[in-house]
Amino acid sequence: MTAVKNFIAARVAKELHDGDIVNLGIGLPTLITDHLDPSIHITFQSENGFVGLMPVEPGKEDPHIVNAGGIPAGIADDGAFFDSVTSFSIIRGGHVDATVLGSLQVDEKGNIANWIIPGKMVPGMGGAMDLVVGAKKVIVAMEHTNNGKAKILKECTLPLTAKGQVDMIITEMGVMEVTPEGIVLKEYNPKYTVEQIQEATEATLIIADDLQPMI
């Protein structure tokens, strides 16, 4: 499972550009920092109140520095701490170039449902609602299915986090772009046929004319 998540994270890392300010959701997105091109500089913003988020070496954890998921994190030498008001002013003010987060469901209209399954206990929505609306680009990084059940749907059935905000979906099966016409499969994992990818997807995929293997 970890290999699949790292495969997805490595592909997402290629979507980030030098100078970007990027917010990473909890879970899979936090692996992206392990796959960055060392020649580019990305400033990672943590919604709980700092910029300069980075991995921490085992054994050097500081109990006072955690990411938004409460996991020990590091901070870059040029990083800075601030309060939640400032943190969400950055997010809501459109200063985040990209946010990468997981999801329970995404649909062909770019709707996202990633915060609750009715009847199950959850800690809350967190900053997801603000991030998917405030960031300039929204990338959903997730496994393609949940125990074989489609997560990329014609229409989300779970309570929405936001409507029409997803720009890109990256899974272990492919790279997809959300367009006004629907979800376009831009890249595919050669381990799967296009037919297998479609079978695992409830939404009808539009196959790009220049479809490429995942890189």
Side-chain angles (χ1 to χ4, degrees):
M1 199 67 71
T2 301
V4 170
K5 291 180 178 180
N6 274 292
F7 177 80
I8 297 168
R11 179 58 188 83
V12 176
K14 297 178 185 298
E15 293 298 319
L16 308 183
H17 306 102
D18 191 54
D20 278 353
I21 297 175
V22 178
N23 182 284
L24 300 179
I26 61 175
L28 188 160
T30 61
L31 299 174
I32 292 168
T33 55
D34 297 328
H35 300 279
L36 291 173
D37 181 338
S39 68
I40 67 172
H41 181 266
I42 307 291
T43 298
F44 290 104
Q45 187 254 0
S46 190
E47 69 194 62
N48 55 318
F50 65 101
V51 290
L53 173 71
M54 60 185 296
V56 63
E57 294 181 39
K60 295 186 177 181
E61 296 90 348
D62 183 331
H64 300 292
I65 305 176
V66 296
N67 64 23
I71 306 300
I75 183 168
D77 291 339
D78 58 353
F81 294 103
F82 35 76
D83 61 17
S84 289
V85 173
T86 303
S87 183
F88 280 85
S89 294
I90 292 170
I91 294 167
R92 295 172 182 172
H95 304 292
V96 175
D97 294 295
T99 183
V100 185
L101 67 171
S103 190
L104 298 166
Q105 296 177 342
V106 182
D107 69 27
E108 58 190 15
K109 297 181 180 66
N111 300 328
I112 179 171
N114 80 333
W115 76 282
I116 191 171
I117 297 175
K120 291 193 175 184
M121 292 290 292
V122 294
M125 184 174 285
M129 180 186 289
D130 301 271
L131 283 162
V132 295
V133 173
K136 296 172 186 174
K137 184 174 185 177
V138 176
I139 302 172
V140 170
M142 66 179 187
E143 292 176 60
H144 204 94
T145 63
N146 179 19
N147 294 321
K149 186 175 181 180
K151 297 170 67 175
I152 304 173
L153 310 176
K154 292 183 179 297
E155 186 172 352
C156 291
T157 59
L158 294 173
L160 296 183
T161 306
K163 289 185 175 182
Q165 296 298 321
V166 176
D167 298 295
M168 179 175 282
I169 307 165
I170 299 179
T171 75
E172 77 279 12
M173 287 188 166
V175 176
M176 289 146 278
E177 181 181 350
V178 181
T179 74
E181 291 73 36
I183 298 174
V184 179
L185 181 66
K186 306 282 287 187
E187 297 177 19
Y188 72 101
N189 184 340
K191 290 184 178 180
Y192 306 95
T193 65
V194 171
E195 289 74 21
Q196 287 174 320
I197 299 170
Q198 180 60 79
E199 286 173 5
T201 310
E202 183 190 275
T204 301
L205 296 173
I206 301 167
I207 311 304
D209 292 337
D210 58 347
L211 180 66
Q212 302 288 326
M214 283 181 81
I215 55 174

